[in-house]
Amino acid sequence: MKFITTVLLALYLLFSVSPPAYADNTAPPDIRGEGGYLIDVQSGQTLFQKNPDELLAPASTTKIMTALLAIENGHFDDTVTISSTMLNSKLVYGTQIYLEPGEKLTVRDLLYATLLNSANDAAVALAEYVGKDVDSFVDLMNQRAQEIGATKTHFVNPSGLTEKEHLTTPHDLALIARVAYQNPTFAQFVRTKTQAISRSKDDVPVLMVNENKLLWRDSTVDGIKTGYTSEAQNCLVASATKDGRQLIGVILKSPGKEIYTDMQAMFDYGFTQYKNNVVKPAGSVLSSITVNNEPVDLTIDSPIYVTQKLNEDQPLLNLRVTSLNTEPLTSVEKGQAVAQVEVLEGEKHLNTLPLIASKTVLPKAEEPKGFFASLSLPWMAGTLLVILGFAAVIDKQRNRARYLRRRARRLRRENSKKL
């Protein structure tokens, strides 16, 4: 029965909704969620924001971070044995695929269940797989959030179920989603509409259906994650790609299904009212270093973009170059990342790109040595003793020869006197 219900849900998502029409997309969208954010993925610049730094419950959009950590730290074909944690009703409840202790699933199938079906039990299983226990995994979630720059975010669990201190902001969630979607494997999962998983038990869900309605009705939408709890209300993080540009939108604490039309209004605004310009094309030289007295250009291998609002001046970007090495390099290989460039709008961080060496410089060759300079001291000492030994023998033989000659002369003189 659960399997049939899932199939019916898929058909509902496919046929029951249609794209809305918009009367005016020149003005910023009027979204009904408590918080909203729209970011250009290529440039990292903000196109729209509403209460960007307000702390709000993220609900199941939390699973973006859970899945990202599982992808970064796990192996898809690993088998996960489900633990007795599934029996903890305070940690595992709500949307589930009804995992039971002792059941075995691959990491890949748990990811599909987490990202498509939004299964809370699958998210907990991934947390225990990566972190060994839920608390340790939550520490990893918060650490990764800080690395991304989501400094106001604080996770308490891997699923997004309501807890007092489990909070993020529209801005932070956009940063997390941008980093996650730039992982090609993550992107492949969240753009998947349906996926069957392997289960050893009967009468349990096996067809995972993506709950993001926009993915089913708008061909430009290619992910990411929905969420809902009574505390968080409706939450949605979505990605859309059009004419070579990708946008990520976040809406938190929206009262109802209008969250989807509001998200499409945000996308429409971003695509029609902004354009991207290349500030520095791939291969541009941004700095240089000297290795063994040879100059080496440092280049970027991907473009630096700036997003410009139509009929307005192009924003100015600051580029800050920092070295990745604390000591001077004595050699470098072509393509080696030796520095990085931070892209800033004012003091706001937008992106960080590696700077790579344009050529190879080998270690400096040692000065050529003469024959005697190349000899080791012990070898020279031993050789000297041998030479001195031969010299002593030769000298002794010479002395013996001189003695014999003198004796022979003396005998001849004595013999001549007798005659």
PDB file of all heavy atoms in Angstrom, residues 40-47 245 274-281 303-309 312-319 343-346 350-351:
ATOM      1  N   ASP A  40      23.302  34.359  -7.378  1.00  0.00           N
ATOM      2  CA  ASP A  40      23.829  33.886  -8.648  1.00  0.00           C
ATOM      3  C   ASP A  40      24.982  32.938  -8.360  1.00  0.00           C
ATOM      4  O   ASP A  40      25.943  33.301  -7.675  1.00  0.00           O
ATOM      5  CB  ASP A  40      24.308  35.069  -9.500  1.00  0.00           C
ATOM      6  CG  ASP A  40      24.721  34.635 -10.902  1.00  0.00           C
ATOM      7  OD1 ASP A  40      25.818  34.052 -11.025  1.00  0.00           O
ATOM      8  OD2 ASP A  40      23.962  34.875 -11.851  1.00  0.00           O
ATOM      9  N   VAL A  41      24.893  31.719  -8.870  1.00  0.00           N
ATOM     10  CA  VAL A  41      25.889  30.699  -8.534  1.00  0.00           C
ATOM     11  C   VAL A  41      27.258  31.039  -9.104  1.00  0.00           C
ATOM     12  O   VAL A  41      28.287  30.865  -8.449  1.00  0.00           O
ATOM     13  CB  VAL A  41      25.425  29.316  -9.027  1.00  0.00           C
ATOM     14  CG1 VAL A  41      26.527  28.277  -8.858  1.00  0.00           C
ATOM     15  CG2 VAL A  41      24.179  28.882  -8.263  1.00  0.00           C
ATOM     16  N   GLN A  42      27.307  31.561 -10.337  1.00  0.00           N
ATOM     17  CA  GLN A  42      28.596  31.838 -10.964  1.00  0.00           C
ATOM     18  C   GLN A  42      29.356  32.952 -10.269  1.00  0.00           C
ATOM     19  O   GLN A  42      30.556  32.847 -10.035  1.00  0.00           O
ATOM     20  CB  GLN A  42      28.394  32.182 -12.443  1.00  0.00           C
ATOM     21  CG  GLN A  42      27.980  30.989 -13.306  1.00  0.00           C
ATOM     22  CD  GLN A  42      27.659  31.412 -14.723  1.00  0.00           C
ATOM     23  OE1 GLN A  42      26.994  32.412 -14.962  1.00  0.00           O
ATOM     24  NE2 GLN A  42      28.133  30.636 -15.679  1.00  0.00           N
ATOM     25  N   SER A  43      28.677  34.024  -9.937  1.00  0.00           N
ATOM     26  CA  SER A  43      29.364  35.172  -9.329  1.00  0.00           C
ATOM     27  C   SER A  43      29.330  35.155  -7.814  1.00  0.00           C
ATOM     28  O   SER A  43      30.186  35.748  -7.161  1.00  0.00           O
ATOM     29  CB  SER A  43      28.731  36.480  -9.825  1.00  0.00           C
ATOM     30  OG  SER A  43      27.417  36.637  -9.282  1.00  0.00           O
ATOM     31  N   GLY A  44      28.322  34.476  -7.234  1.00  0.00           N
ATOM     32  CA  GLY A  44      28.152  34.499  -5.786  1.00  0.00           C
ATOM     33  C   GLY A  44      27.457  35.745  -5.278  1.00  0.00           C
ATOM     34  O   GLY A  44      27.331  35.944  -4.057  1.00  0.00           O
ATOM     35  N   GLN A  45      26.969  36.578  -6.185  1.00  0.00           N
ATOM     36  CA  GLN A  45      26.353  37.844  -5.779  1.00  0.00           C
ATOM     37  C   GLN A  45      24.866  37.683  -5.458  1.00  0.00           C
ATOM     38  O   GLN A  45      24.186  36.799  -5.980  1.00  0.00           O
ATOM     39  CB  GLN A  45      26.544  38.897  -6.869  1.00  0.00           C
ATOM     40  CG  GLN A  45      27.990  39.368  -6.978  1.00  0.00           C
ATOM     41  CD  GLN A  45      28.210  40.266  -8.160  1.00  0.00           C
ATOM     42  OE1 GLN A  45      28.676  39.844  -9.207  1.00  0.00           O
ATOM     43  NE2 GLN A  45      27.855  41.544  -7.995  1.00  0.00           N
ATOM     44  N   THR A  46      24.407  38.554  -4.599  1.00  0.00           N
ATOM     45  CA  THR A  46      23.019  38.549  -4.142  1.00  0.00           C
ATOM     46  C   THR A  46      22.153  39.337  -5.112  1.00  0.00           C
ATOM     47  O   THR A  46      22.460  40.476  -5.463  1.00  0.00           O
ATOM     48  CB  THR A  46      22.915  39.172  -2.749  1.00  0.00           C
ATOM     49  OG1 THR A  46      23.779  38.460  -1.851  1.00  0.00           O
ATOM     50  CG2 THR A  46      21.489  39.125  -2.238  1.00  0.00           C
ATOM     51  N   LEU A  47      21.031  38.728  -5.534  1.00  0.00           N
ATOM     52  CA  LEU A  47      20.101  39.388  -6.450  1.00  0.00           C
ATOM     53  C   LEU A  47      18.834  39.851  -5.739  1.00  0.00           C
ATOM     54  O   LEU A  47      18.185  40.795  -6.185  1.00  0.00           O
ATOM     55  CB  LEU A  47      19.729  38.445  -7.598  1.00  0.00           C
ATOM     56  CG  LEU A  47      20.889  37.729  -8.312  1.00  0.00           C
ATOM     57  CD1 LEU A  47      20.355  36.956  -9.502  1.00  0.00           C
ATOM     58  CD2 LEU A  47      21.970  38.700  -8.720  1.00  0.00           C
ATOM     59  N   ARG A 245      23.206  30.535 -17.136  1.00  0.00           N
ATOM     60  CA  ARG A 245      23.277  31.073 -15.772  1.00  0.00           C
ATOM     61  C   ARG A 245      22.529  30.146 -14.823  1.00  0.00           C
ATOM     62  O   ARG A 245      21.519  29.541 -15.205  1.00  0.00           O
ATOM     63  CB  ARG A 245      22.657  32.468 -15.688  1.00  0.00           C
ATOM     64  CG  ARG A 245      23.423  33.550 -16.419  1.00  0.00           C
ATOM     65  CD  ARG A 245      22.696  34.876 -16.276  1.00  0.00           C
ATOM     66  NE  ARG A 245      22.570  35.250 -14.869  1.00  0.00           N
ATOM     67  CZ  ARG A 245      21.611  36.055 -14.401  1.00  0.00           C
ATOM     68  NH1 ARG A 245      20.674  36.525 -15.213  1.00  0.00           N
ATOM     69  NH2 ARG A 245      21.583  36.366 -13.117  1.00  0.00           N
ATOM     70  N   TYR A 274      18.876  40.741 -14.465  1.00  0.00           N
ATOM     71  CA  TYR A 274      20.321  40.724 -14.250  1.00  0.00           C
ATOM     72  C   TYR A 274      20.998  39.981 -15.393  1.00  0.00           C
ATOM     73  O   TYR A 274      20.405  39.135 -16.051  1.00  0.00           O
ATOM     74  CB  TYR A 274      20.668  40.022 -12.933  1.00  0.00           C
ATOM     75  CG  TYR A 274      20.281  40.799 -11.693  1.00  0.00           C
ATOM     76  CD1 TYR A 274      18.989  40.711 -11.181  1.00  0.00           C
ATOM     77  CD2 TYR A 274      21.203  41.607 -11.044  1.00  0.00           C
ATOM     78  CE1 TYR A 274      18.626  41.419 -10.043  1.00  0.00           C
ATOM     79  CE2 TYR A 274      20.856  42.316  -9.902  1.00  0.00           C
ATOM     80  CZ  TYR A 274      19.564  42.218  -9.407  1.00  0.00           C
ATOM     81  OH  TYR A 274      19.210  42.924  -8.282  1.00  0.00           O
ATOM     82  N   LYS A 275      22.253  40.277 -15.598  1.00  0.00           N
ATOM     83  CA  LYS A 275      23.076  39.549 -16.560  1.00  0.00           C
ATOM     84  C   LYS A 275      24.462  39.354 -15.960  1.00  0.00           C
ATOM     85  O   LYS A 275      24.873  40.077 -15.047  1.00  0.00           O
ATOM     86  CB  LYS A 275      23.178  40.317 -17.877  1.00  0.00           C
ATOM     87  CG  LYS A 275      23.939  41.647 -17.773  1.00  0.00           C
ATOM     88  CD  LYS A 275      24.067  42.313 -19.135  1.00  0.00           C
ATOM     89  CE  LYS A 275      24.864  43.615 -19.034  1.00  0.00           C
ATOM     90  NZ  LYS A 275      25.048  44.256 -20.366  1.00  0.00           N
ATOM     91  N   ASN A 276      25.161  38.364 -16.475  1.00  0.00           N
ATOM     92  CA  ASN A 276      26.515  38.080 -16.016  1.00  0.00           C
ATOM     93  C   ASN A 276      27.540  38.545 -17.037  1.00  0.00           C
ATOM     94  O   ASN A 276      27.361  38.349 -18.247  1.00  0.00           O
ATOM     95  CB  ASN A 276      26.706  36.578 -15.768  1.00  0.00           C
ATOM     96  CG  ASN A 276      26.135  36.146 -14.438  1.00  0.00           C
ATOM     97  OD1 ASN A 276      25.598  36.949 -13.692  1.00  0.00           O
ATOM     98  ND2 ASN A 276      26.239  34.865 -14.137  1.00  0.00           N
ATOM     99  N   ASN A 277      28.588  39.178 -16.545  1.00  0.00           N
ATOM    100  CA  ASN A 277      29.715  39.571 -17.375  1.00  0.00           C
ATOM    101  C   ASN A 277      30.973  38.881 -16.869  1.00  0.00           C
ATOM    102  O   ASN A 277      31.130  38.670 -15.660  1.00  0.00           O
ATOM    103  CB  ASN A 277      29.923  41.087 -17.333  1.00  0.00           C
ATOM    104  CG  ASN A 277      28.720  41.856 -17.834  1.00  0.00           C
ATOM    105  OD1 ASN A 277      28.083  41.443 -18.804  1.00  0.00           O
ATOM    106  ND2 ASN A 277      28.396  42.960 -17.180  1.00  0.00           N
ATOM    107  N   VAL A 278      31.850  38.539 -17.803  1.00  0.00           N
ATOM    108  CA  VAL A 278      33.130  37.940 -17.422  1.00  0.00           C
ATOM    109  C   VAL A 278      34.120  39.055 -17.120  1.00  0.00           C
ATOM    110  O   VAL A 278      34.450  39.863 -17.997  1.00  0.00           O
ATOM    111  CB  VAL A 278      33.672  37.021 -18.529  1.00  0.00           C
ATOM    112  CG1 VAL A 278      35.049  36.479 -18.159  1.00  0.00           C
ATOM    113  CG2 VAL A 278      32.705  35.874 -18.784  1.00  0.00           C
ATOM    114  N   VAL A 279      34.582  39.109 -15.888  1.00  0.00           N
ATOM    115  CA  VAL A 279      35.574  40.103 -15.485  1.00  0.00           C
ATOM    116  C   VAL A 279      36.975  39.643 -15.871  1.00  0.00           C
ATOM    117  O   VAL A 279      37.776  40.407 -16.405  1.00  0.00           O
ATOM    118  CB  VAL A 279      35.503  40.361 -13.965  1.00  0.00           C
ATOM    119  CG1 VAL A 279      36.568  41.355 -13.528  1.00  0.00           C
ATOM    120  CG2 VAL A 279      34.133  40.872 -13.586  1.00  0.00           C
ATOM    121  N   LYS A 280      37.264  38.394 -15.587  1.00  0.00           N
ATOM    122  CA  LYS A 280      38.551  37.799 -15.932  1.00  0.00           C
ATOM    123  C   LYS A 280      38.289  36.429 -16.553  1.00  0.00           C
ATOM    124  O   LYS A 280      37.751  35.545 -15.890  1.00  0.00           O
ATOM    125  CB  LYS A 280      39.435  37.630 -14.695  1.00  0.00           C
ATOM    126  CG  LYS A 280      39.842  38.927 -14.013  1.00  0.00           C
ATOM    127  CD  LYS A 280      40.906  39.670 -14.822  1.00  0.00           C
ATOM    128  CE  LYS A 280      41.368  40.918 -14.093  1.00  0.00           C
ATOM    129  NZ  LYS A 280      42.391  41.655 -14.872  1.00  0.00           N
ATOM    130  N   PRO A 281      38.638  36.238 -17.828  1.00  0.00           N
ATOM    131  CA  PRO A 281      38.408  34.927 -18.443  1.00  0.00           C
ATOM    132  C   PRO A 281      39.373  33.878 -17.904  1.00  0.00           C
ATOM    133  O   PRO A 281      40.414  34.208 -17.320  1.00  0.00           O
ATOM    134  CB  PRO A 281      38.660  35.197 -19.925  1.00  0.00           C
ATOM    135  CG  PRO A 281      39.555  36.387 -19.958  1.00  0.00           C
ATOM    136  CD  PRO A 281      39.194  37.222 -18.758  1.00  0.00           C
ATOM    137  N   PRO A 303      36.551  31.249 -15.160  1.00  0.00           N
ATOM    138  CA  PRO A 303      36.341  32.701 -15.232  1.00  0.00           C
ATOM    139  C   PRO A 303      35.897  33.302 -13.895  1.00  0.00           C
ATOM    140  O   PRO A 303      35.361  32.617 -13.023  1.00  0.00           O
ATOM    141  CB  PRO A 303      35.229  32.845 -16.279  1.00  0.00           C
ATOM    142  CG  PRO A 303      35.116  31.524 -16.955  1.00  0.00           C
ATOM    143  CD  PRO A 303      35.576  30.503 -15.968  1.00  0.00           C
ATOM    144  N   ILE A 304      36.119  34.579 -13.755  1.00  0.00           N
ATOM    145  CA  ILE A 304      35.542  35.360 -12.658  1.00  0.00           C
ATOM    146  C   ILE A 304      34.405  36.192 -13.249  1.00  0.00           C
ATOM    147  O   ILE A 304      34.615  36.957 -14.199  1.00  0.00           O
ATOM    148  CB  ILE A 304      36.589  36.268 -11.998  1.00  0.00           C
ATOM    149  CG1 ILE A 304      37.676  35.418 -11.337  1.00  0.00           C
ATOM    150  CG2 ILE A 304      35.933  37.195 -10.966  1.00  0.00           C
ATOM    151  CD1 ILE A 304      38.801  36.236 -10.725  1.00  0.00           C
ATOM    152  N   TYR A 305      33.209  36.000 -12.689  1.00  0.00           N
ATOM    153  CA  TYR A 305      32.025  36.688 -13.194  1.00  0.00           C
ATOM    154  C   TYR A 305      31.613  37.820 -12.256  1.00  0.00           C
ATOM    155  O   TYR A 305      31.875  37.783 -11.048  1.00  0.00           O
ATOM    156  CB  TYR A 305      30.839  35.716 -13.301  1.00  0.00           C
ATOM    157  CG  TYR A 305      30.998  34.626 -14.318  1.00  0.00           C
ATOM    158  CD1 TYR A 305      31.542  33.389 -13.972  1.00  0.00           C
ATOM    159  CD2 TYR A 305      30.588  34.807 -15.637  1.00  0.00           C
ATOM    160  CE1 TYR A 305      31.670  32.368 -14.911  1.00  0.00           C
ATOM    161  CE2 TYR A 305      30.710  33.793 -16.585  1.00  0.00           C
ATOM    162  CZ  TYR A 305      31.258  32.578 -16.212  1.00  0.00           C
ATOM    163  OH  TYR A 305      31.385  31.576 -17.139  1.00  0.00           O
ATOM    164  N   VAL A 306      30.916  38.784 -12.825  1.00  0.00           N
ATOM    165  CA  VAL A 306      30.219  39.793 -12.045  1.00  0.00           C
ATOM    166  C   VAL A 306      28.787  39.850 -12.560  1.00  0.00           C
ATOM    167  O   VAL A 306      28.539  39.755 -13.767  1.00  0.00           O
ATOM    168  CB  VAL A 306      30.902  41.177 -12.137  1.00  0.00           C
ATOM    169  CG1 VAL A 306      30.858  41.726 -13.553  1.00  0.00           C
ATOM    170  CG2 VAL A 306      30.269  42.163 -11.154  1.00  0.00           C
ATOM    171  N   THR A 307      27.832  39.945 -11.640  1.00  0.00           N
ATOM    172  CA  THR A 307      26.420  40.031 -12.014  1.00  0.00           C
ATOM    173  C   THR A 307      25.983  41.492 -11.960  1.00  0.00           C
ATOM    174  O   THR A 307      26.142  42.162 -10.935  1.00  0.00           O
ATOM    175  CB  THR A 307      25.555  39.185 -11.071  1.00  0.00           C
ATOM    176  OG1 THR A 307      25.997  37.820 -11.126  1.00  0.00           O
ATOM    177  CG2 THR A 307      24.092  39.232 -11.484  1.00  0.00           C
ATOM    178  N   GLN A 308      25.427  41.951 -13.060  1.00  0.00           N
ATOM    179  CA  GLN A 308      25.057  43.361 -13.200  1.00  0.00           C
ATOM    180  C   GLN A 308      23.558  43.501 -13.390  1.00  0.00           C
ATOM    181  O   GLN A 308      22.961  42.805 -14.198  1.00  0.00           O
ATOM    182  CB  GLN A 308      25.789  43.963 -14.408  1.00  0.00           C
ATOM    183  CG  GLN A 308      25.435  45.408 -14.709  1.00  0.00           C
ATOM    184  CD  GLN A 308      26.129  45.912 -15.970  1.00  0.00           C
ATOM    185  OE1 GLN A 308      26.833  45.148 -16.640  1.00  0.00           O
ATOM    186  NE2 GLN A 308      25.934  47.172 -16.294  1.00  0.00           N
ATOM    187  N   LYS A 309      22.967  44.389 -12.625  1.00  0.00           N
ATOM    188  CA  LYS A 309      21.549  44.686 -12.830  1.00  0.00           C
ATOM    189  C   LYS A 309      21.396  45.530 -14.080  1.00  0.00           C
ATOM    190  O   LYS A 309      22.186  46.435 -14.338  1.00  0.00           O
ATOM    191  CB  LYS A 309      20.958  45.419 -11.621  1.00  0.00           C
ATOM    192  CG  LYS A 309      19.421  45.411 -11.599  1.00  0.00           C
ATOM    193  CD  LYS A 309      18.887  45.974 -10.314  1.00  0.00           C
ATOM    194  CE  LYS A 309      17.397  45.666 -10.148  1.00  0.00           C
ATOM    195  NZ  LYS A 309      16.570  46.146 -11.253  1.00  0.00           N
ATOM    196  N   GLU A 312      22.014  49.512 -14.787  1.00  0.00           N
ATOM    197  CA  GLU A 312      22.796  50.028 -13.667  1.00  0.00           C
ATOM    198  C   GLU A 312      24.270  49.758 -13.931  1.00  0.00           C
ATOM    199  O   GLU A 312      24.633  48.918 -14.765  1.00  0.00           O
ATOM    200  CB  GLU A 312      22.373  49.372 -12.338  1.00  0.00           C
ATOM    201  CG  GLU A 312      20.985  49.762 -11.883  1.00  0.00           C
ATOM    202  CD  GLU A 312      20.662  49.217 -10.500  1.00  0.00           C
ATOM    203  OE1 GLU A 312      21.564  48.611  -9.868  1.00  0.00           O
ATOM    204  OE2 GLU A 312      19.512  49.401 -10.054  1.00  0.00           O
ATOM    205  N   ASP A 313      25.132  50.510 -13.233  1.00  0.00           N
ATOM    206  CA  ASP A 313      26.568  50.314 -13.406  1.00  0.00           C
ATOM    207  C   ASP A 313      26.988  48.940 -12.900  1.00  0.00           C
ATOM    208  O   ASP A 313      26.395  48.395 -11.951  1.00  0.00           O
ATOM    209  CB  ASP A 313      27.340  51.396 -12.636  1.00  0.00           C
ATOM    210  CG  ASP A 313      27.142  52.780 -13.235  1.00  0.00           C
ATOM    211  OD1 ASP A 313      26.813  52.860 -14.435  1.00  0.00           O
ATOM    212  OD2 ASP A 313      27.314  53.776 -12.493  1.00  0.00           O
ATOM    213  N   GLN A 314      28.009  48.408 -13.530  1.00  0.00           N
ATOM    214  CA  GLN A 314      28.536  47.112 -13.105  1.00  0.00           C
ATOM    215  C   GLN A 314      29.228  47.247 -11.759  1.00  0.00           C
ATOM    216  O   GLN A 314      30.030  48.164 -11.557  1.00  0.00           O
ATOM    217  CB  GLN A 314      29.523  46.602 -14.157  1.00  0.00           C
ATOM    218  CG  GLN A 314      30.171  45.276 -13.812  1.00  0.00           C
ATOM    219  CD  GLN A 314      31.014  44.757 -14.959  1.00  0.00           C
ATOM    220  OE1 GLN A 314      30.494  44.360 -15.992  1.00  0.00           O
ATOM    221  NE2 GLN A 314      32.323  44.771 -14.779  1.00  0.00           N
ATOM    222  N   PRO A 315      28.929  46.364 -10.811  1.00  0.00           N
ATOM    223  CA  PRO A 315      29.596  46.418  -9.503  1.00  0.00           C
ATOM    224  C   PRO A 315      31.101  46.230  -9.651  1.00  0.00           C
ATOM    225  O   PRO A 315      31.576  45.542 -10.562  1.00  0.00           O
ATOM    226  CB  PRO A 315      28.969  45.251  -8.735  1.00  0.00           C
ATOM    227  CG  PRO A 315      27.702  44.944  -9.453  1.00  0.00           C
ATOM    228  CD  PRO A 315      27.945  45.275 -10.884  1.00  0.00           C
ATOM    229  N   LEU A 316      31.851  46.853  -8.749  1.00  0.00           N
ATOM    230  CA  LEU A 316      33.298  46.714  -8.731  1.00  0.00           C
ATOM    231  C   LEU A 316      33.678  45.559  -7.808  1.00  0.00           C
ATOM    232  O   LEU A 316      33.167  45.450  -6.691  1.00  0.00           O
ATOM    233  CB  LEU A 316      33.964  48.003  -8.255  1.00  0.00           C
ATOM    234  CG  LEU A 316      33.755  49.229  -9.155  1.00  0.00           C
ATOM    235  CD1 LEU A 316      34.403  50.450  -8.524  1.00  0.00           C
ATOM    236  CD2 LEU A 316      34.343  48.980 -10.545  1.00  0.00           C
ATOM    237  N   LEU A 317      34.567  44.722  -8.278  1.00  0.00           N
ATOM    238  CA  LEU A 317      35.041  43.588  -7.484  1.00  0.00           C
ATOM    239  C   LEU A 317      36.476  43.833  -7.046  1.00  0.00           C
ATOM    240  O   LEU A 317      37.265  44.444  -7.761  1.00  0.00           O
ATOM    241  CB  LEU A 317      34.967  42.289  -8.292  1.00  0.00           C
ATOM    242  CG  LEU A 317      33.590  41.860  -8.806  1.00  0.00           C
ATOM    243  CD1 LEU A 317      33.717  40.517  -9.530  1.00  0.00           C
ATOM    244  CD2 LEU A 317      32.578  41.771  -7.681  1.00  0.00           C
ATOM    245  N   ASN A 318      36.798  43.343  -5.865  1.00  0.00           N
ATOM    246  CA  ASN A 318      38.165  43.367  -5.371  1.00  0.00           C
ATOM    247  C   ASN A 318      38.724  41.953  -5.433  1.00  0.00           C
ATOM    248  O   ASN A 318      38.031  40.990  -5.087  1.00  0.00           O
ATOM    249  CB  ASN A 318      38.225  43.882  -3.930  1.00  0.00           C
ATOM    250  CG  ASN A 318      37.731  45.307  -3.812  1.00  0.00           C
ATOM    251  OD1 ASN A 318      38.008  46.130  -4.691  1.00  0.00           O
ATOM    252  ND2 ASN A 318      36.989  45.607  -2.759  1.00  0.00           N
ATOM    253  N   LEU A 319      39.961  41.843  -5.864  1.00  0.00           N
ATOM    254  CA  LEU A 319      40.634  40.545  -5.937  1.00  0.00           C
ATOM    255  C   LEU A 319      41.798  40.553  -4.952  1.00  0.00           C
ATOM    256  O   LEU A 319      42.680  41.409  -5.032  1.00  0.00           O
ATOM    257  CB  LEU A 319      41.137  40.269  -7.360  1.00  0.00           C
ATOM    258  CG  LEU A 319      40.084  40.327  -8.473  1.00  0.00           C
ATOM    259  CD1 LEU A 319      40.728  40.014  -9.814  1.00  0.00           C
ATOM    260  CD2 LEU A 319      38.934  39.372  -8.199  1.00  0.00           C
ATOM    261  N   VAL A 343      37.574  36.627  -4.245  1.00  0.00           N
ATOM    262  CA  VAL A 343      36.786  37.612  -4.970  1.00  0.00           C
ATOM    263  C   VAL A 343      35.846  38.286  -3.980  1.00  0.00           C
ATOM    264  O   VAL A 343      35.065  37.623  -3.287  1.00  0.00           O
ATOM    265  CB  VAL A 343      35.986  36.956  -6.112  1.00  0.00           C
ATOM    266  CG1 VAL A 343      35.239  38.015  -6.916  1.00  0.00           C
ATOM    267  CG2 VAL A 343      36.917  36.154  -7.021  1.00  0.00           C
ATOM    268  N   LEU A 344      35.916  39.612  -3.902  1.00  0.00           N
ATOM    269  CA  LEU A 344      35.154  40.374  -2.916  1.00  0.00           C
ATOM    270  C   LEU A 344      34.341  41.460  -3.607  1.00  0.00           C
ATOM    271  O   LEU A 344      34.791  42.072  -4.578  1.00  0.00           O
ATOM    272  CB  LEU A 344      36.084  41.029  -1.890  1.00  0.00           C
ATOM    273  CG  LEU A 344      37.064  40.115  -1.143  1.00  0.00           C
ATOM    274  CD1 LEU A 344      38.176  40.923  -0.535  1.00  0.00           C
ATOM    275  CD2 LEU A 344      36.324  39.343  -0.062  1.00  0.00           C
ATOM    276  N   GLU A 345      33.147  41.692  -3.098  1.00  0.00           N
ATOM    277  CA  GLU A 345      32.351  42.865  -3.459  1.00  0.00           C
ATOM    278  C   GLU A 345      32.369  43.774  -2.241  1.00  0.00           C
ATOM    279  O   GLU A 345      31.658  43.529  -1.274  1.00  0.00           O
ATOM    280  CB  GLU A 345      30.933  42.465  -3.842  1.00  0.00           C
ATOM    281  CG  GLU A 345      30.090  43.631  -4.342  1.00  0.00           C
ATOM    282  CD  GLU A 345      28.691  43.203  -4.764  1.00  0.00           C
ATOM    283  OE1 GLU A 345      28.287  42.061  -4.449  1.00  0.00           O
ATOM    284  OE2 GLU A 345      28.006  44.007  -5.407  1.00  0.00           O
ATOM    285  N   GLY A 346      33.204  44.804  -2.283  1.00  0.00           N
ATOM    286  CA  GLY A 346      33.503  45.540  -1.056  1.00  0.00           C
ATOM    287  C   GLY A 346      34.310  44.631  -0.149  1.00  0.00           C
ATOM    288  O   GLY A 346      35.384  44.167  -0.508  1.00  0.00           O
ATOM    289  N   LEU A 350      32.724  36.623  -2.070  1.00  0.00           N
ATOM    290  CA  LEU A 350      31.887  36.015  -3.100  1.00  0.00           C
ATOM    291  C   LEU A 350      32.390  34.652  -3.538  1.00  0.00           C
ATOM    292  O   LEU A 350      31.608  33.740  -3.773  1.00  0.00           O
ATOM    293  CB  LEU A 350      31.806  36.936  -4.329  1.00  0.00           C
ATOM    294  CG  LEU A 350      31.211  38.319  -4.132  1.00  0.00           C
ATOM    295  CD1 LEU A 350      31.267  39.101  -5.436  1.00  0.00           C
ATOM    296  CD2 LEU A 350      29.781  38.238  -3.623  1.00  0.00           C
ATOM    297  N   ASN A 351      33.709  34.532  -3.667  1.00  0.00           N
ATOM    298  CA  ASN A 351      34.247  33.300  -4.218  1.00  0.00           C
ATOM    299  C   ASN A 351      35.731  33.208  -3.900  1.00  0.00           C
ATOM    300  O   ASN A 351      36.378  34.219  -3.614  1.00  0.00           O
ATOM    301  CB  ASN A 351      34.053  33.271  -5.743  1.00  0.00           C
ATOM    302  CG  ASN A 351      33.863  31.872  -6.281  1.00  0.00           C
ATOM    303  OD1 ASN A 351      33.978  30.891  -5.548  1.00  0.00           O
ATOM    304  ND2 ASN A 351      33.571  31.755  -7.558  1.00  0.00           N
TER     305      ASN A 351
END
